[in-house]
Amino acid sequence: MRILSGKFIPENLNSSSGLTVEIVKQAIEYSYEIIDQIDEKLTSVGANKISQMIELANYSSILGNLIALGIEKKSEGKYIRNLPHKYPDILAVSQTAKDIEIKISLELNKPKGHLAKSGFYMICRYVLLYNDRNFVFDQRGDTAEIWEIRFGYLETDDFNLSNTPGDSGKTAVINKNGMEKLKLIYVNLETTPFSKESVTYQRYLKLISNV
């Protein structure tokens, strides 16, 4: 079973949300377990892994849904997963918890959706490892690995809205201010798509050196 091998920063996880590091950790490892089982079944019959068979936007959506399901299963009744395509992804059923929206994006992309709504957000960004679980900088393999998780409360003005004629519909992308408001709660510098010389990499290195 794959595990999260990066560093958590527990003090950056807003406690009023009810979410804990342990719930997040177990939920993501649960999503890995399911994806790996699907990939094993596909490759056993001569097919490609799921990331190679569908668009990466859909792959991100699957990953997000599995993490949401994992949070429901690992929270001991604190949360339940909302219906598909409903906001937010996670509904609090405990008075000590808050509703949470989960956003997934690849590499350094800013997460986006169709709605700009205020609330708690958990942002997971991932890279694609190769078969032997190796990460190659600036290249894509076939297996998802979360390299960064951020968490916090966003307002509607923390999104940039687009409604371009002929586009697939309204798009709400978390803007620079919104990304900065979200606190880093997990990072794996072994699989980050930032170069080691970048300012962000050095900042993250400093952050986790105190954990």
Side-chain angles (χ1 to χ4, degrees), residues 27-28 31 62-71 102 104 122 124 146:
I28 292 177
S31 73
I62 290 172
L63 181 58
N65 284 323
L66 288 174
I67 292 172
L69 180 59
I71 289 176
I102 298 172
I104 309 293
M122 186 173 83
C124 300
I146 302 292

Side-chain angles (χ1 to χ4, degrees), residues 6-189:
K7 293 284 189 178
F8 277 97
I9 308 174
E11 62 269 25
N12 283 349
L13 184 53
N14 191 315
S15 60
S16 67
S17 69
L19 205 60
T20 66
V21 163
E22 192 58 30
I23 292 174
V24 174
K25 180 177 183 294
Q26 291 185 23
I28 292 177
E29 289 175 353
Y30 172 83
S31 73
Y32 286 171
E33 182 179 1
I34 300 301
I35 285 178
D36 288 348
Q37 288 177 2
I38 294 171
D39 283 342
E40 286 172 9
K41 181 62 178 179
L42 287 171
T43 55
S44 72
V45 296
N48 291 327
K49 291 185 176 182
I50 190 170
S51 66
Q52 299 170 310
M53 298 179 66
I54 63 176
E55 293 183 359
L56 287 175
N58 294 328
Y59 186 72
S60 297
S61 180
I62 290 172
L63 181 58
N65 284 323
L66 288 174
I67 292 172
L69 180 59
I71 289 176
E72 176 182 339
K73 288 184 172 295
K74 305 301 181 180
S75 67
E76 298 181 344
K78 189 180 290 186
Y79 305 97
I80 59 171
R81 181 172 172 264
N82 204 351
L83 296 173
H85 309 297
K86 297 291 184 180
Y87 174 91
D89 294 305
I90 297 294
L91 299 173
V93 291
S94 165
Q95 293 184 347
T96 61
K98 303 293 184 183
D99 296 345
I100 299 169
E101 175 76 352
I102 298 172
K103 294 292 186 187
I104 309 293
S105 64
L106 180 63
E107 297 162 352
L108 298 177
N109 293 336
K110 293 178 181 178
K112 63 182 180 180
H114 294 295
L115 299 170
K117 289 192 173 183
S118 60
F120 281 105
Y121 284 79
M122 186 173 83
I123 306 304
C124 300
R125 296 202 282 186
Y126 71 97
V127 291
L128 291 165
L129 306 183
Y130 286 89
N131 286 330
D132 52 4
R133 303 289 189 253
N134 277 342
F135 171 71
V136 180
F137 183 76
D138 211 24
Q139 293 186 31
R140 290 176 180 172
D142 53 23
T143 303
E145 173 89 2
I146 302 292
W147 73 268
E148 178 195 63
I149 307 173
R150 300 190 193 191
F151 189 84
Y153 193 93
L154 297 180
E155 303 286 354
T156 55
D157 59 2
D158 293 318
F159 296 82
N160 290 337
L161 303 181
S162 172
N163 194 16
T164 306
D167 201 355
S168 59
K170 293 182 179 180
T171 302
V173 181
I174 299 175
N175 58 34
K176 182 180 179 181
N177 182 64
M179 290 297 286
E180 289 176 353
K181 284 175 65 175
L182 297 168
K183 298 290 187 181
L184 184 73
I185 65 170
Y186 171 85
V187 66
N188 186 350
L189 290 182

